Amino acid sequence: MTALTGLVAWYKPETLAASYANGDPIDTWADSSGNGYDLTGTTTTRPLAAASAINGYMAADFDGTDDILSSASYSHSGQVVVSAVFNLDTLKNYNAIVNIDDSSTPVWPSSLLSNLIYSSGRFLCGIDLSGHKYLFQDSACSASTDYIATCGFNSSVGALASINGRYRVDSTLGTSPSTPTGTAYIHLGFAGIGGSYLNGKVTEVIIYTVADNSEVPWVEGYLADKYAITLADGHLFKNAAPENAPTTYNATGGATLASDARIERLK
């Protein structure tokens, strides 16, 4: 039994359900990683809590106009991977789900880390955006559909984009900077480009740094099992959940992994 390597932040629906009722504006989405990178919103730009939004779990519901949640700054070092569970209300261009950059106010292009955005009929994984490096995942997309998306890069294999466990990897992208270091901010719901406010719901986000992509299937397997999302053919957990994952879940977090601060998995 070993822990998920390099867990940076973990935003779970259980923490929302413990603090908010359906329709409440979300002031804070607490970070369950133990690192304290809570997401907060201002009075006029807070998403609303949506009960039973994705497989019975509460989600943050972004209105597509001005809603955003952001973390305080943190010192980042390492390859970054973002895995998120979400549902788009509309398929408008520049639906920004998660943006990690070096500005307290999202900017485009970012000079650090990554963006996960729906644009022009497909998902875009932005890597080292100051160098304008993008990787598209061309799987067909639909509104009002639950997705697991992973966006990341590392120096050994380059950029990775995954939708429901269908991978696209490009070894020519993501190797510069190979290990981004500096001040970073986590943003949900906006990426700094005009009109990129998210119109949709986000129920869980896991941000982690890895030396390679070996952790990714385990995270996706955990999320697929929890949210009843079917993974692509050939995925490690297409037909089975990670061996030590809980078999049941509930909105109050009565059944969770071994530690709220880590994803435990057995290889």
Side-chain angles (χ1 to χ4, degrees):
M1 190 87 67
T2 55
L4 176 68
T5 302
L7 184 59
V8 174
W10 189 2
Y11 306 105
K12 300 163 52 179
E14 291 88 349
T15 61
L16 290 179
S19 300
Y20 302 103
N22 186 54
D24 286 347
I26 298 171
D27 298 300
T28 301
W29 194 347
D31 173 19
S32 295
S33 73
N35 293 324
Y37 302 140
D38 297 348
L39 300 173
T40 60
T42 64
T43 301
T44 58
T45 62
R46 295 172 294 177
L48 303 180
S52 301
I54 298 180
N55 199 37
Y57 287 88
M58 181 169 280
D61 190 359
F62 294 81
D63 65 5
T65 302
D66 59 6
D67 290 351
I68 181 174
L69 293 173
S70 298
S71 74
S73 64
Y74 72 97
S75 181
H76 180 88
S77 178
Q79 331 292 351
V80 67
V81 178
V82 177
S83 294
V85 179
F86 59 92
N87 185 311
L88 301 177
D89 292 335
T90 62
L91 298 182
K92 73 182 187 73
N93 279 347
Y94 300 118
N95 249 326
I97 301 152
V98 182
N99 170 50
I100 306 175
D101 66 26
D102 61 356
S103 174
S104 59
T105 301
V107 295
W108 185 276
S110 164
S111 60
L112 181 69
L113 305 184
S114 64
N115 286 261
L116 176 59
I117 298 174
Y118 171 87
S119 179
S120 303
R122 51 191 179 171
F123 289 101
L124 177 154
C125 180
I127 305 299
D128 181 23
L129 294 182
S130 62
H132 300 279
K133 299 177 180 179
Y134 309 109
L135 180 62
F136 285 99
Q137 170 52 267
D138 290 324
S139 300
C141 307
S142 302
S144 303
T145 300
D146 301 338
Y147 288 105
I148 301 168
T150 296
C151 172
F153 71 96
N154 61 71
S155 57
S156 60
V157 298
L160 164 73
S162 166
I163 300 297
N164 291 352
R166 180 185 175 191
Y167 297 112
R168 183 179 179 193
V169 176
D170 190 328
S171 61
T172 67
L173 296 177
T175 57
S176 177
S178 60
T179 306
T181 301
T183 299
Y185 299 81
I186 302 165
H187 307 287
L188 264 60
F190 186 54
I193 191 172
S196 65
Y197 286 104
L198 172 63
N199 187 202
K201 302 171 181 66
V202 179
T203 193
E204 189 154 353
V205 178
I206 303 171
I207 301 170
Y208 45 111
T209 59
V210 295
D212 56 42
N213 289 328
S214 62
E215 303 281 1
V216 171
W218 294 88
V219 174
E220 292 174 336
Y222 153 72
L223 293 172
D225 184 47
K226 182 173 182 177
Y227 295 103
I229 295 174
T230 301
L231 294 170
D233 290 343
H235 192 279
L236 182 62
F237 299 112
K238 163 69 174 178
N239 297 312
E243 292 181 24
N244 67 307
T247 57
T248 60
Y249 300 85
N250 59 58
T252 60
T256 62
L257 295 174
S259 166
D260 283 350
R262 302 187 302 177
I263 293 178
E264 299 286 336
R265 83 282 191 276
L266 179 66
K267 285 191 174 181

